[in-house]
Amino acid sequence: MSLLDVRDLHVTYPGGAAAVRGVDLALAAGEKLGVAGESGCGKSTLALALLRLLPAGARVGGEILLDGEDVLTMKWGRVRAVRWAGASIVFQGAMHSLNAVHRIGDQIAEPILLHRKASAAGARKRAGELLEQVGLPAARASAYPHELSGGQRQRVMIAMALACDPRLIIADEPTTALDVMIQAQILRLIEELVSEQDVGLIMISHDLAVLADTCDRLAVMYAGRVVEEGPARQVYDDARHPYGRALSEAFPRIGDPASRFAPRGLPGDPPDPAAVPSGCAFHPRCPVALDRCATEDQALRAAGAGRRAACVHVAGEVPAAGAEAEVRSGTV
Ligand SMILES: Nc1ncnc2c1ncn2[C@@H]1O[C@H](COP(=O)(O)OP(=O)(O)O)[C@@H](O)[C@H]1O
Ligand code: SF4
Ligand SMILES: [Mg+2]
């Protein structure tokens, strides 16, 4: 059985923004899945839905099976327990969600006391061990959040996420606010910790290069759907979906400053989720769209071993941008 099985997940916000439109994802225990896509493609909405953290009024459909149990139909008491011991989340804004007036050691110990029924001394000891695991001296437990740097605070958030030995960690753009060197350290830390402890990881980023480096598999989201999925390196090096390709071209290899400052190949923006284009939602931006892409919806289908993509060209080859084979009338 998968650790996580997401089936036909839909999320619509009040006002009609269809932010997630039918996502299927599976994650094995200990597996690392990267979720990529530009800002606005529904990545955070997906992450929040997994732990029932969406704002009131958001309509959610489908199934989210965590160890076989549907998160969407759990009672609230069970959801709260699952948020620590089943799956926990590290997100960018979390750095600011540490309580300014409590020592970090106490903040790490709190869920251990609450959900693990540990003694006060036991929880303190575990908090010290967790700090050391994330590369901070145990003695820093007595520090207040303002006494730490941004990178150190994010390490504390990771320690908190690990506190109750979750089976799954969801990291939503965990390092975007940090400088590049610290980002690399933190991502490596998350990757090492989940590998050592056989924890599943969903790492969300707009940066495909980072994900290809840290994850086993990649899912590329566009307009609330997964449009491509497969082994991370293969998706990054040789995407089958034109959006996956555009994204990997726009996000240069890590450590390649020249391309970092001259991304290419992806003009325009993802659609407003309240007005998603008909047919393939990528068609207004797609360099290899056909006439029928404006009306024909595309489901994910096999695109090589262990790979899936949702494009009319998949099953055949995706032509290179500008190729003459099949083109949208009037654009070439
Ligand atoms: N609370 C909300 N109410 C209405 N729309 C929202 C809300 N949160 C996000 N959205 C919209 O849903 C879409 C997807 O957002 P999000 O999941 O944050 O994408 P990503 O994380 O990929 O940038 C965006 O268009 C965003 O404006
Ligand atoms: S289905 Fe058509 S518009 Fe969509 S990505 Fe493929 S070629 Fe482009
Ligand atoms: Mg986001």
Side-chain angles (χ1 to χ4, degrees):
M1 184 171 55
S2 304
L3 168 61
L4 179 73
D5 215 335
V6 176
R7 296 182 187 161
D8 198 26
L9 184 69
H10 284 78
V11 179
T12 306
Y13 286 109
V20 172
R21 303 182 304 124
V23 163
D24 292 279
L25 279 178
L27 190 79
E31 190 175 29
K32 290 170 279 196
L33 172 71
V35 178
E38 292 163 286
S39 182
C41 284
K43 306 181 301 296
S44 294
T45 302
L46 169 66
L48 294 172
L50 295 181
L51 290 180
R52 297 248 308 255
L53 291 166
L54 289 165
R59 277 184 291 125
V60 186
E63 284 181 313
I64 298 171
L65 303 177
L66 187 63
D67 275 325
E69 197 181 353
D70 191 350
V71 175
L72 293 179
T73 56
M74 278 175 193
K75 297 214 162 71
W76 276 109
R78 178 79 188 124
V79 170
R80 277 190 284 273
V82 161
R83 277 186 195 158
W84 288 103
S88 54
I89 191 160
V90 182
F91 48 97
Q92 189 187 330
M95 281 202 290
H96 310 289
S97 74
L98 285 170
N99 190 322
V101 300
H102 288 140
R103 296 177 194 276
I104 56 163
D106 294 340
Q107 297 188 55
I108 300 171
E110 191 185 317
I112 305 172
L113 281 168
L114 214 68
H115 296 286
R116 284 278 138 140
K117 313 269 183 269
S119 65
R124 253 199 318 274
K125 179 162 173 287
R126 173 94 176 109
E129 288 166 6
L130 284 161
L131 283 174
E132 287 185 343
Q133 269 182 16
V134 298
L136 293 172
R140 290 305 265 162
S142 59
Y144 289 95
H146 75 268
E147 296 175 300
L148 304 178
S149 68
Q152 289 171 332
R153 282 201 294 270
Q154 194 60 314
R155 285 173 190 266
V156 171
M157 294 311 304
I158 296 166
M160 286 176 82
L162 290 168
C164 295
D165 299 311
R167 309 248 294 125
L168 170 67
I169 289 186
I170 302 159
D172 186 1
E173 311 258 10
T175 61
T176 306
L178 303 173
D179 84 52
V180 175
M181 288 300 291
I182 308 289
Q183 275 189 36
Q185 287 171 15
I186 300 271
L187 292 172
R188 191 144 307 121
L189 172 71
I190 295 177
E191 197 258 331
E192 281 169 11
L193 288 170
V194 299
S195 298
E196 275 166 23
Q197 302 180 21
D198 213 26
V199 176
L201 174 69
I202 296 182
M203 175 92 84
I204 296 175
S205 176
H206 59 279
D207 190 330
L208 214 57
V210 163
L211 295 177
D213 231 42
T214 43
C215 296
D216 306 315
R217 281 194 306 133
L218 266 184
V220 177
M221 278 186 79
Y222 190 76
R225 287 206 180 149
V226 173
V227 295
E228 165 142 29
E229 193 206 343
R233 276 271 43 116
Q234 289 181 30
V235 172
Y236 183 61
D237 290 339
D238 177 28
R240 292 289 152 81
H241 191 282
Y243 181 63
R245 259 197 341 217
L247 211 57
S248 58
E249 281 168 15
F251 287 95
R253 261 141 251 275
I254 293 171
D256 177 2
S259 49
R260 182 165 292 274
F261 294 114
R264 57 196 176 98
L266 197 53
D269 294 300
D272 175 351
V276 177
S278 60
C280 170
F282 188 54
H283 83 261
R285 300 172 77 190
C286 181
V288 293
L290 312 180
D291 285 340
R292 59 195 166 104
C293 295
T295 50
E296 261 179 36
D297 207 354
Q298 299 298 323
L300 275 173
R301 52 182 162 269
R307 305 187 59 174
R308 296 189 303 163
C311 172
V312 70
H313 295 295
V314 164
E317 279 301 297
V318 183
E324 288 175 309
E326 297 179 83
V327 292
R328 180 166 34 184
S329 49
T331 58
V332 174

